[in-house]
Amino acid sequence: MPHASAQPRHADTVPSRLYLPEDVAAVLGCSAWWVKDRARRRLIPYTRVGRSYRFTGEHLAEIIRMHEAQPAVPQQPTPTAVSKAPRLASPSTPPVPVVRLRARPPRRVSQGHFGTAA
């Protein structure tokens, strides 16, 4: 006769519902393939039932937390750092000569030994 302590510890925490990858994908706004691929690579939490991936509400909340983007903290300028405006070329500086680039002729035209196309 088994003792009362032989029961599984998680018997009272049975999830109310298991979601399919398609359900999770609909909530996340992605494809079911993405959900299954991430579960296969063990990048998101999941439960295996046979050979199928299933997700609880807690799993879904954790997936959302994992992929949540936090706003960047704006850097406060330090009092010693002075922002400098970009300097424009002064009139006394001679202009830099501009070199125009030329395109190389296509190789097919320069090879010429292939003849014409059939």
Side-chain angles (χ1 to χ4, degrees):
M1 182 169 190
H3 298 293
S5 63
Q7 293 180 353
R9 282 193 267 171
H10 302 292
D12 58 343
T13 60
V14 174
S16 60
R17 176 159 187 229
L18 292 175
Y19 296 97
L20 298 172
E22 291 78 13
D23 300 332
V24 174
V27 171
L28 297 176
C30 62
S31 66
W33 178 88
W34 183 89
V35 174
K36 290 183 226 176
D37 180 61
R38 297 298 163 142
R40 179 182 55 81
R41 292 194 287 161
R42 298 176 184 253
L43 297 174
I44 59 174
Y46 64 93
T47 299
R48 283 298 287 257
V49 177
R51 294 176 62 189
S52 302
Y53 298 108
R54 297 293 185 259
F55 303 89
T56 64
E58 291 176 9
H59 290 154
L60 184 58
E62 179 63 25
I63 293 168
I64 292 171
R65 275 192 296 275
M66 288 168 57
H67 292 91
E68 183 178 36
Q70 296 293 328
V73 178
Q75 293 181 343
Q76 299 294 329
T78 59
T80 59
V82 178
S83 63
K84 296 181 180 179
R87 291 186 160 216
L88 300 174
S90 63
S92 63
T93 308
V96 178
V98 177
V99 178
R100 301 278 307 182
L101 300 177
R102 284 188 18 199
R104 182 177 61 200
R107 291 182 183 168
R108 188 170 288 180
V109 172
S110 64
Q111 290 175 349
H113 58 8
F114 288 116
T116 60

